[in-house]
Amino acid sequence: MESLDALGLAPTTLLKWLLAAAVLAWAAWVYNRLVRLRNEIANAFAQIDVQLKRRYDLVPNLVEVARKYLQHERETLEAVTAARNTARAAADRAKQAPADPGLIGALAAADGVLGGALGRLMAVAEAYPELKADKTMRELSEELTHTENRVAFARQAFNDAVLDHNNAVQHFPSLIVARLTGFRPAAMLEATASDEERRAPRVQF
């Protein structure tokens, strides 16, 4: 068996090579973990996206039913439609990079505007007994409520994935690899109910 000297390796040189190999192996493990956590954010957002699309599909139907009774509330109905379109566009952009804090922040803001617009619509509907009695409106309202509950559950799973990712990105020593490879903290998706929406009376269909 050849000695280290015969191989041209001094004990200190071999130690340095082993240490370098260990550091590279650790860095690779950390990088792969960061990639996995970022992918988990994307997967969690995909579940939110399914529920958000369901919400956005329900809103036009809700507006069309309300339009039959709220002929003098065109501005309110148009505000709901515009907010829905803006929120849907924000969701489509966020889907492309769900770990991007700017895109997630824009989605939360747009959904907050949509929530406020829907809250105002429900407040106005209180004054229209025929609308409250409409069977389709009741069904749509119930489905929208169920969808909001599913959005809330999906949002919690997304935020849990973001928390795990951010812990890995911000904790030492993994933050060294994160910074060198371009990983940054992601943003949680906050509850989108605005203060106005929470204050607005709900229609009991």
Side-chain angles (χ1 to χ4, degrees):
M1 182 175 181
E2 298 183 54
S3 67
L4 293 178
D5 289 336
L7 293 173
L9 293 175
T12 55
T13 302
L14 179 61
L15 183 59
K16 289 178 182 179
W17 277 106
L18 290 175
L19 182 59
V23 170
L24 287 175
W26 170 80
W29 178 83
V30 171
Y31 177 79
N32 289 335
R33 180 168 182 262
L34 291 171
V35 170
R36 177 177 59 80
L37 292 173
R38 184 174 61 189
N39 289 341
E40 287 179 3
I41 290 178
N43 180 65
F45 186 83
Q47 305 307 312
I48 292 179
D49 190 53
V50 169
Q51 303 307 328
L52 290 179
K53 284 182 178 177
R54 186 175 184 84
R55 176 206 281 166
Y56 301 148
D57 288 343
L58 286 170
V59 170
N61 295 331
L62 194 72
V63 169
E64 284 306 308
V65 173
R67 195 184 304 277
K68 302 174 186 177
Y69 303 94
L70 306 181
Q71 298 178 3
H72 303 294
E73 300 290 346
R74 188 177 71 177
E75 184 176 340
T76 299
L77 296 174
E78 289 178 349
V80 172
T81 299
R84 175 262 186 190
N85 293 340
T86 299
R88 183 165 192 171
D92 288 340
R93 289 191 295 271
K95 185 179 180 181
Q96 303 306 312
D100 186 313
L103 296 179
I104 292 300
L107 172 59
D111 255 11
V113 173
L114 174 58
L118 285 171
R120 288 190 294 275
L121 173 60
M122 295 305 185
V124 169
E126 282 284 351
Y128 293 82
E130 291 182 354
L131 174 58
K132 292 173 64 175
D134 187 283
K135 181 176 181 293
T136 302
M137 189 67 171
R138 289 199 307 272
E139 292 174 350
L140 287 171
S141 179
E142 182 176 350
E143 185 60 33
L144 187 60
T145 298
H146 290 163
T147 299
E148 292 297 338
N149 291 336
R150 288 191 286 267
V151 169
F153 283 120
R155 183 174 59 241
Q156 183 59 55
F158 174 82
N159 287 343
D160 288 344
V162 168
L163 179 61
D164 289 341
H165 173 272
N166 289 352
N167 284 339
V169 167
Q170 295 173 323
H171 286 179
F172 183 84
S174 59
L175 67 85
I176 298 173
V177 177
R179 291 180 180 178
L180 290 175
T181 53
F183 283 87
R184 297 290 182 269
M188 292 188 179
L189 185 59
E190 304 296 337
T192 56
S194 65
D195 291 339
E196 181 177 0
E197 182 187 11
R198 284 190 288 267
R199 289 194 302 268
R202 300 298 184 118
V203 178
Q204 301 299 321
F205 291 105

